[in-house]
Amino acid sequence: MTETPSPSSSLELWSHRLLSAVLLGGQVLVHLLKGKINRRNTIDQMAAVGPESLLITLITAGFVGAVFTIQVAREFINLGAGTAVGGVLTISLSRELAPVLTAVVLAGRVGSAFAAEIGTMKVTEQIDALYMLRTDPIDYLVIPRVIACCLMLPILTVLALIVGIAGGMLVAESLYSIPNTVFLNSARNFLSVWDLCSAPIKGFFFGALISIIGSSWGLTTTGGAKGVGQSTTTAVVTSLLAIFISNFFLSWLMFQGTGSAVNRGL
């Protein structure tokens, strides 16, 4: 019978793989500075990360905006602040919901695919074959995925923001009789340029985390098909943890001090 790994050994393995991911991030940065980019693979990965993830991202954003509007509007209307619903929704989407939820969707869809694909190549010795062909796996496999995620996730985040606002506006008008003009005026008054810029900036960092963690977990896969499954699962979980933890620090850096959005909107 196969022995079940103890929690301590599992934690030690996870720590080792996390350290490998950090080192891989440094290697990616060095290779990028040297201009080592496989353009064909990069375009292929951009297509996989962007257009193929678009539908699920927009559906998620639309329903999140609609649900958030339901929860906010019913309370704000009771307080006599129904005109502020659009502003509160757009701030929440631009600062947090759009970038974080888009990253979560891509961590589940793209990060898992990266870990599974590269992990399968690792256990079937295709990575060793690349070395024999004098091809660096970082240049051929990792960097195209990192570039694709860093470029496409900010774009998906902006599209998710637009669709989320549209979903919220539709619910506000149909269920709570808040005119579209009032909703959009509130959004315009509450939002600042920095709020709009924060969403793609976060998307860029989240894209880097997802791609590096997924690729690193794939490169450190052992143990055949079972190992590929374990790598895929732990890569997604680690990516989600990295997204939530880094989001705290990014929000703290971007939005320190007391806010002024309410003063602008009211």
Side-chain angles (χ1 to χ4, degrees):
M1 295 180 63
T2 304
E3 295 184 359
T4 304
S6 64
S8 59
S9 62
S10 298
L11 180 59
E12 182 179 355
L13 176 61
W14 183 83
S15 302
H16 172 74
R17 300 180 88 169
L18 184 63
L19 178 60
S20 298
V22 174
L23 295 176
L24 179 62
Q27 290 177 294
V28 167
L29 182 60
V30 171
H31 284 230
L32 284 174
L33 293 175
K34 293 181 179 180
K36 295 183 177 181
I37 299 173
N38 189 308
R39 291 177 175 81
R40 181 176 179 180
N41 283 357
T42 300
I43 293 173
D44 291 341
Q45 292 303 322
M46 288 176 66
V49 174
E52 294 183 14
S53 303
L54 181 61
L55 182 59
I56 186 174
T57 299
L58 298 186
I59 292 174
T60 301
F63 279 99
V64 166
V67 170
F68 188 88
T69 300
I70 290 175
Q71 299 298 336
V72 170
R74 64 192 298 269
E75 303 298 336
F76 274 42
I77 290 174
N78 289 334
L79 296 173
T83 57
V85 171
V88 173
L89 170 66
T90 51
I91 282 182
S92 301
L93 282 172
S94 62
R95 292 182 181 181
E96 298 298 331
L97 294 178
V100 171
L101 290 177
T102 303
V104 168
V105 170
L106 261 71
R109 186 191 175 280
V110 176
S112 61
F114 289 173
E117 291 170 2
I118 298 178
T120 301
M121 295 181 68
K122 177 67 174 179
V123 299
T124 56
E125 299 182 352
Q126 295 181 53
I127 301 294
D128 296 332
L130 288 177
Y131 282 117
M132 292 181 64
L133 294 172
R134 296 183 179 180
T135 301
D136 193 333
I138 295 177
D139 296 335
Y140 189 76
L141 298 174
V142 180
I143 288 181
R145 287 167 167 80
V146 173
I147 294 175
C149 283
C150 289
L151 292 180
M152 299 309 298
L153 207 151
I155 296 174
L156 291 174
T157 299
V158 173
L159 295 175
L161 173 61
I162 295 171
V163 173
I165 293 173
M169 185 169 59
L170 179 63
V171 169
E173 183 181 32
S174 59
L175 298 184
Y176 298 99
S177 300
I178 299 175
N180 290 339
T181 53
V182 174
F183 188 97
L184 293 175
N185 285 335
S186 174
R188 185 174 64 252
N189 292 333
F190 272 70
L191 280 178
S192 66
V193 175
W194 180 241
D195 293 327
L196 296 175
C197 293
S198 66
I201 291 174
K202 283 188 175 184
F204 178 86
F205 282 101
F206 295 158
L209 289 173
I210 292 168
S211 56
I212 290 174
I213 291 173
S215 299
S216 177
W217 254 251
L219 289 172
T220 55
T221 298
T222 56
K226 182 180 179 180
V228 173
Q230 291 174 342
S231 293
T232 302
T233 302
T234 52
V236 173
V237 173
T238 305
S239 296
L240 295 177
L241 287 174
I243 289 168
F244 295 137
I245 293 172
S246 63
N247 181 57
F248 167 79
F249 290 103
L250 288 172
S251 297
W252 178 68
L253 290 173
M254 292 178 177
F255 304 106
Q256 292 188 42
T258 57
S260 58
V262 174
N263 295 330
R264 292 195 306 267
L266 298 178

